Amino acid sequence: MLLPDQVERNAWSYLKEFTDARIAIGRSGLSIPTREVLRFQLSHAQARDAVLQPLDTQKLYDQLEAQGIKFMTVQSKVTDRTEYLRRPDLGRQLADESAEKIAALAASLPAAPDIAMVFSEGLSSIAIQTNLLPFLKVFNAVSGLNVRFSPLIHVEQGRVAVGDAVADILGAKVVVMLIGERPGLTSPDSMGIYMTYDARPGTTDERRNCISNIRPAGQSYMQAADTLNYLLSESLRRGISGVDLKDDQVALE
Amino acid sequence: MFTCSIAGRSYGFGSLKELMAKASPLRSGDQLAGIAARSAEERVAAQLLLSEVPLQRFLEDLLIPYEEDEVSRLVIDTHDAKAFSHISGLSVGEFRDWLLSESVSGDVLTRIAGGLTPEMVAAVSKIMRIQDLVYVASKVRVVTAFRNTIGLPGTMAARLQPNHPTDDPAGITASTLDGLMYGSGDACIGINPATDNITAVMALLQVLDDLRQRYEIPTQSCVLTHVTTTMEAMRRGAPVDLVFQSIAGTEAANASFGITLAMLEEARGMALELKRGTVGDNVMYFETGQGSALSANAHHGVDQQTVEARAYAVARHFKPLLVNTVVGFIGPEYLYDAKQIIRAGLEDHFCGKLLGLPMGVDVCYTNHAEADQDDMDTLLTLLGVAGCNYIMGIPGADDIMLNYQSTSFHDALYIRRQLGLTPAPEFMEWLQKVGIMTEESGLALPGLERLPLPDKQTLHALA
């Protein structure tokens, strides 16, 4: 019986300690060994599922209710997942009836909120399913801000900038958008937070601060909550966000 | 006005720009821009009409006016009329037939390159099939050099891309050593840094240069940061081999990247003065990709493939060592699926080569595009046959900083073996000297006796 060439393992596998990159994975002939090929396929499958599988809203809403968190669901102008991927412009706009719904909410509030809290599954439903609630718990515990928060607004099939439209209608000073990030192969469950002062439709990205890679194996909820807390207080105090605020943070380091 | 009638249905296109857009093979970015053909038949109608347009017209009927755009001015002001005279009587369709002729050799194509404008090559690519794009591109060799020679017949290089999410020097060193052991790194060792911070960029440049000197590797390094950051690093005495910049095909899109042509010229001059190249002085490294102008809202209603070809006119002015299209990185709103990514990669390679560029391709996709590693194998194999100058080499094809998938060190070995290709000659000699590669071009892992790697302590000290 002919045996296949032995899978060659690398003498430098001790280097793996220094990076999560797929190094020292050995070779079968000149190709990637079976185990590594399948490990890669699994990661890709998880990332694809994160993009394509819908958010389990029933489960998430039950959890929010159990925590006593008030929320409202609205839609972007996107009608299905394929359109979401092809038409980012539609994901940045609220559906007409959704805009009316938020306007009705605004009218019912005793005063305009300082901070509009918005979330969307974005490009990873798993990110929101996994991280939204645990993050909010930590954030609510550490946030000592004496400000008015809006109810949590879930924009289905939204892009980051759809939060601007929400903030505009609510008359909020700052919008916080929690969103599923584009899944990486090793991070299909990564949530991002975008904070924008004086957001309105047409606001551009350099006006935003981003806290990225929030997930169990990435940036911790506590770290992200601390950063958001700091950014919010500075943003409200100085009336800015984005590049200007970010530069100050670097200088502080 | 361009008009025709097919089976009783009439089609009209108001401008050359509209005709080009409607003649483009289907892609999501043109649909997003609202300029794509509205039906399959309309697309072919536009292609039929485009095939009859004389090449000469592209010199007179500019898609983006001369007064409005410095890329248009660059194209017109540097046009080589003598080189163009060999093909000036041809229409777009006749140009395709001419390119496919057996008698039109690579030497002929090299001689006329200066007479071609990006719009001419974009136009002809729209009426070419995949096999046409592969065959014609394979005739052209574009050879460049710095510390080694890239693009020679029978070779294919790989850029070693050892990215790390926090730019950790130990992590980057680990990935670099892994890539070298698999024979990658002749195109360059190039890091996409997580930050544009000048101190961090200079530290990375030093790490790469120390590594290169320690092992006496005949290759060049690059930290792919903004051109102004690299210029500042040069002023501060950092070991800069190559100046990197992302570029696009319109002045407005380049402005959104924070660059002008004058800035690129100045940076090139500074890098040339350092005289760090040993076998050549191609000091620029450019990256491009279809859709970048639209994403900056700076496309002037021109289709994304034509705008991409215009970026190559920018690139060729600065005699780069390396140019690559990062074809699948931009996402499904510009190139929806593998079919679109594969065709775009081959169009970009073809257009770049015809314009005289040392084209490489980042064969890649993101997780929200309809594509997978099988599709990358397909594109990689096609590009190998087309004579692509270089591809990326990334540990396990998984870039843990940029969060996308490209080609692995193993993929580069696969395509070289499959097509009988070798790395750049100087680099291959080094691989053999240190025992990574055998005299018969086989891989001779591990070779640790002749290439002692740093131990854990040394690496911890780096971090």
Side-chain angles (χ1 to χ4, degrees):
Chain A
M1 185 176 129
L2 283 173
L3 290 170
D5 290 350
Q6 197 184 345
V7 174
E8 181 155 359
R9 291 184 175 76
N10 299 134
W12 56 93
S13 54
Y14 68 93
L15 294 178
K16 281 174 181 280
E17 182 186 322
F18 298 94
T19 178
D20 290 332
R22 292 169 199 252
I23 64 167
I25 56 178
R27 61 191 181 105
S28 307
L30 294 182
S31 304
I32 296 177
T34 304
R35 189 182 158 74
E36 284 296 328
V37 164
L38 293 177
R39 200 168 73 89
F40 182 103
Q41 297 292 66
L42 177 61
S43 298
H44 185 240
Q46 289 168 341
R48 291 296 290 159
D49 284 348
V51 172
L52 296 175
Q53 282 187 355
L55 186 66
D56 185 344
T57 48
Q58 195 53 57
K59 188 175 167 192
L60 181 66
Y61 293 169
D62 286 349
Q63 291 169 336
L64 289 172
E65 270 167 16
Q67 290 294 316
I69 297 173
K70 286 187 190 140
F71 64 93
M72 172 192 268
T73 307
V74 296
Q75 282 81 36
S76 75
K77 284 196 168 149
V78 167
T79 51
D80 61 36
R81 199 60 180 162
T82 302
E83 188 173 63
Y84 180 80
L85 294 173
R86 283 177 173 270
R87 294 291 302 272
D89 54 326
L90 297 181
R92 295 185 195 114
Q93 301 169 51
L94 285 170
D96 293 341
E97 59 273 29
S98 291
E100 287 163 19
K101 203 170 159 185
I102 296 170
L105 170 71
S108 74
L109 296 173
D114 298 301
I115 299 168
M117 294 292 283
V118 187
F119 80 91
S120 181
E121 56 281 7
L123 283 166
S124 171
S125 56
I126 296 175
I128 292 301
Q129 205 89 55
T130 309
N131 303 303
L132 180 71
L133 194 67
F135 170 78
L136 287 176
K137 278 193 210 168
V138 173
F139 177 69
N140 289 336
V142 302
S143 173
L145 296 172
N146 186 20
V147 295
R148 284 184 303 277
F149 286 91
S150 76
L152 193 57
I153 311 281
H154 176 201
V155 184
E156 293 185 309
Q157 306 277 18
R159 299 269 174 179
V160 171
V162 81
D164 303 346
V166 175
D168 191 39
I169 298 173
L170 289 176
K173 294 186 182 118
V174 182
V175 60
V176 172
M177 176 58 140
L178 305 109
I179 193 164
E181 295 185 316
R182 197 182 85 187
L185 212 58
T186 45
S187 53
D189 57 346
S190 185
M191 183 175 80
I193 301 178
Y194 292 81
M195 187 205 75
T196 317
Y197 187 85
D198 191 25
R200 59 193 66 192
T203 293
T204 43
D205 287 343
E206 82 284 354
R207 296 257 325 276
R208 308 188 196 287
N209 292 88
C210 176
I211 308 167
S212 185
N213 195 31
I214 302 163
R215 60 192 177 103
Q219 179 160 195
S220 71
Y221 301 131
M222 182 55 83
Q223 203 179 353
D226 277 342
T227 306
L228 180 59
N229 205 30
Y230 165 81
L231 287 172
L232 279 173
S233 61
E234 284 301 292
S235 180
L236 286 168
R237 186 172 69 80
R238 299 167 59 191
I240 53 170
S241 66
V243 177
D244 303 336
L245 194 51
K246 199 181 286 176
D247 279 352
D248 278 18
Q249 257 203 314
V250 172
L252 284 173
E253 287 168 9
Chain B
M1 188 77 176
F2 301 86
T3 56
C4 70
S5 176
I6 297 171
R9 288 176 290 277
S10 54
Y11 291 98
F13 308 93
S15 66
L16 187 55
K17 179 163 82 176
E18 187 190 344
L19 185 67
M20 291 276 276
K22 295 286 198 302
S24 283
L26 179 67
R27 63 208 53 195
S28 50
D30 291 336
Q31 292 178 310
L32 180 63
I35 56 174
R38 283 154 297 195
S39 70
E41 188 173 88
E42 186 187 33
R43 176 168 298 107
V44 181
Q47 289 174 340
L48 285 165
L49 288 165
L50 181 62
S51 76
E52 292 165 5
V53 173
L55 293 180
Q56 179 73 36
R57 180 158 179 172
F58 291 98
L59 295 171
E60 294 146 12
D61 187 356
L62 301 190
L63 303 194
I64 303 174
Y66 185 91
E67 298 73 23
E68 284 176 26
D69 185 280
E70 69 170 354
V71 179
S72 294
R73 290 196 288 277
L74 178 74
V75 168
I76 295 304
D77 294 349
T78 61
H79 184 250
D80 182 344
K82 189 159 169 284
F84 181 64
S85 66
H86 298 280
I87 49 167
S88 58
L90 302 179
S91 66
V92 172
E94 290 164 346
F95 185 40
R96 174 181 173 276
D97 293 329
W98 184 83
L99 289 168
L100 290 167
S101 308
E102 303 272 334
S103 59
V104 173
S105 65
D107 288 343
V108 173
L109 292 175
T110 302
R111 279 202 296 278
I112 63 144
L116 295 175
T117 67
E119 287 80 2
M120 292 175 197
V121 296
V124 76
S125 79
K126 294 179 194 302
I127 57 165
M128 291 173 81
R129 283 175 40 196
I130 293 266
Q131 64 166 275
D132 305 341
L133 298 170
V134 168
Y135 167 61
V136 176
S138 77
K139 295 186 192 186
V140 186
R141 299 308 316 192
V142 180
V143 180
T144 56
F146 190 78
R147 277 193 204 96
N148 57 33
T149 313
I150 294 163
L152 291 167
T155 68
M156 184 193 261
R159 166 190 161 194
L160 205 171
Q161 186 169 314
N163 296 343
H164 187 277
T166 60
D167 292 340
D168 175 50
I172 282 169
T173 302
S175 288
T176 304
L177 293 170
D178 191 55
L180 290 170
M181 298 301 263
Y182 283 101
S184 270
D186 44 351
C188 74
I189 303 172
I191 304 169
N192 299 89
T195 160
D196 242 2
N197 179 288
I198 178 71
T199 319
V201 165
M202 288 181 67
L204 290 179
L205 283 165
Q206 199 60 56
V207 166
L208 290 184
D209 203 55
D210 290 349
L211 201 70
R212 176 185 68 79
Q213 297 209 39
R214 173 172 176 189
Y215 294 112
E216 299 176 318
I217 313 167
T219 191
Q220 37 284 331
S221 63
C222 187
V223 175
L224 285 74
T225 185
H226 194 266
V227 62
T228 52
T229 310
T230 302
M231 286 161 85
E232 182 56 25
M234 286 192 278
R235 283 186 205 104
R236 297 191 192 182
V240 172
D241 290 342
L242 304 179
V243 174
F244 169 81
Q245 183 55 47
S246 290
I247 56 170
T250 70
E251 181 178 341
N254 283 328
S256 81
F257 291 161
I259 61 160
T260 61
L261 299 181
M263 199 184 278
L264 296 175
E265 190 68 65
E266 187 188 352
R268 177 166 180 265
M270 288 172 73
L272 282 172
E273 266 181 40
L274 299 179
K275 294 188 170 42
R276 290 172 62 84
T278 51
V279 297
D281 63 357
N282 299 109
V283 294
M284 302 301 281
Y285 176 6
F286 295 119
E287 282 188 348
T288 66
Q290 291 189 26
S292 60
L294 174 58
S295 91
N297 200 19
H299 60 108
H300 296 264
V302 177
D303 69 88
Q304 68 182 32
Q305 189 259 331
T306 301
V307 179
E308 171 72 4
R310 287 169 56 93
Y312 304 151
V314 173
R316 74 171 165 182
H317 188 62
F318 301 103
K319 302 180 173 55
L321 180 78
L322 308 163
V323 179
N324 66 263
T325 169
V326 194
V327 66
F329 185 73
I330 193 160
E333 61 267 44
Y334 300 95
L335 295 167
Y336 184 66
D337 55 15
K339 181 173 173 63
Q340 296 186 8
I341 292 171
I342 289 168
R343 175 151 180 117
L346 292 162
E347 287 167 349
D348 293 352
H349 177 257
F350 163 85
C351 289
K353 279 285 171 69
L354 230 56
L355 290 169
L357 287 180
M359 282 306 288
V361 177
D362 190 342
V363 177
C364 65
Y365 64 104
T366 59
N367 287 317
H368 59 321
E370 290 287 329
D372 62 21
Q373 223 58 28
D374 283 346
D375 302 312
M376 298 305 106
D377 290 345
T378 303
L379 179 54
L380 170 63
T381 306
L382 287 163
L383 284 166
V385 178
C388 184
N389 279 32
Y390 69 100
I391 56 168
M392 309 302 127
I394 296 174
D398 171 14
D399 190 309
I400 58 171
M401 201 287 277
L402 294 172
N403 279 335
Y404 76 123
Q405 287 89 256
S406 178
T407 43
S408 64
F409 305 138
H410 298 70
D411 290 331
L413 294 171
Y414 146 77
I415 195 69
R416 283 174 181 162
R417 176 191 55 194
Q418 207 63 29
L419 298 175
L421 307 172
T422 64
E426 300 86 350
F427 191 77
M428 184 164 74
E429 202 177 300
W430 175 80
L431 289 172
Q432 290 173 343
K433 192 183 82 180
V434 297
I436 292 173
M437 192 178 262
T438 65
E439 295 295 326
E440 295 78 35
S441 299
L443 205 57
L445 298 180
L448 286 181
E449 302 77 26
R450 276 186 283 178
L451 189 71
L453 298 184
D455 58 19
K456 277 195 184 190
Q457 256 184 337
T458 314
L459 283 164
H460 276 298
L462 267 181

